[in-house]
Amino acid sequence: GGGGSEQALGVTGKMVIGHFLAMAQDNGSAVTASNIAVQFPIVNTSTDNVGRGGSGFGLDLAYVRKTGGTSIAATVRNVVNTFAWDVGTMVSRAGTATFDGNSSTAQFDEQVFSSAPSSIKQAVTAYGIKPTLAFGVARAWRSDLTLAFDAQQQLGDETTVLFGPRTQIGVGVDYRGLSALPLRAGVTYLTDGFAVSGGTGVRLGATELGVSARYRSLNGAGDVGLMVNVLALH
């Protein structure tokens, strides 16, 4: 870098393996006063092929720049990703059942994948991995105070593979006014929810023992996480 700045560009290659996929669709199930008709076709990786349901290669790009007390990072994950489910490892079930009050029929026997309805076969083919954009910036506001902002957006939707919430936007603060006891806190907006976190650490020479906790709410359901880590500082 020059002019008091440092920058770096990174490229990461990876192999992606899909262990198992199960997918079902409602193709017009109906309930009337005199009849119940279920049409719920199902496809899934066969039991003989669990662990090898799909595969592909991916490529991530990252850029980092540090100027004075400001650090900026940008990442495009899966800028290229060839992952696809192997339909040769999958089976199907018709998923049909009827009941008219007197008699019933059902068909859930295992069949070859090609016998599934075209709509669900197309959904399996489209269920791949799309790029994810991520950006973050940290600013040393004072010698003992750092503010951070980060955002992440997955370009896929419910018809593609999503890794966690589709959108994440967060802000955080790191306060080191107490030299031996840094304090950290953050809040994050998530698709259909939010998260809040806080933590501290105890510095002993060149080592820091950190403890943090997080509360996350997604779709109205909450969960709590606790993390303990040891960092070697240089």
Side-chain angles (χ1 to χ4, degrees), residues 33-205:
S34 59
N35 188 60
I36 297 175
V38 175
Q39 297 184 41
F40 207 71
I42 304 167
V43 295
N44 62 271
T45 305
S46 69
T47 55
D48 294 336
N49 288 291
V50 173
R52 50 184 179 179
S55 62
F57 293 92
L59 186 69
D60 300 345
L61 299 178
Y63 172 77
V64 179
R65 180 183 179 90
K66 183 176 182 180
T67 304
T70 301
S71 298
I72 299 174
T75 303
V76 182
R77 293 195 291 272
N78 301 307
V79 64
V80 175
N81 198 301
T82 65
F83 175 83
W85 295 99
D86 183 355
V87 299
T89 68
M90 304 188 76
V91 295
S92 70
R93 290 173 173 78
T96 60
T98 62
F99 178 68
D100 62 8
N102 296 310
S103 62
S104 63
T105 62
Q107 175 55 269
F108 284 87
D109 295 337
E110 186 176 290
Q111 303 175 41
V112 294
F113 176 82
S114 59
S115 65
S118 59
S119 59
I120 196 169
K121 289 189 290 187
Q122 292 171 2
V124 170
T125 302
Y127 200 56
I129 299 174
K130 299 296 184 180
T132 295
L133 309 179
F135 173 81
V137 57
R139 171 68 178 173
W141 203 260
R142 300 187 323 224
S143 61
D144 61 352
L145 182 67
T146 299
L147 304 179
F149 167 85
D150 66 88
Q152 175 177 295
Q153 178 68 41
Q154 299 187 64
L155 300 186
D157 55 27
E158 288 72 15
T159 65
T160 58
V161 179
L162 293 178
F163 300 94
R166 186 179 178 188
T167 302
Q168 300 183 49
I169 301 174
V171 293
V173 59
D174 182 2
Y175 176 66
R176 297 175 302 279
L178 304 174
S179 59
L181 192 68
L183 302 175
R184 307 178 182 97
V187 59
T188 302
Y189 162 81
L190 308 171
T191 302
D192 299 319
F194 68 92
V196 292
S197 60
T200 186
V202 177
R203 293 180 181 174
L204 302 172

Side-chain angles (χ1 to χ4, degrees), residues 196 212-217 221-227:
V196 292
S212 61
R214 181 205 65 186
Y215 173 78
R216 183 176 65 174
S217 176
D223 66 81
V224 177
L226 179 66
M227 178 179 292

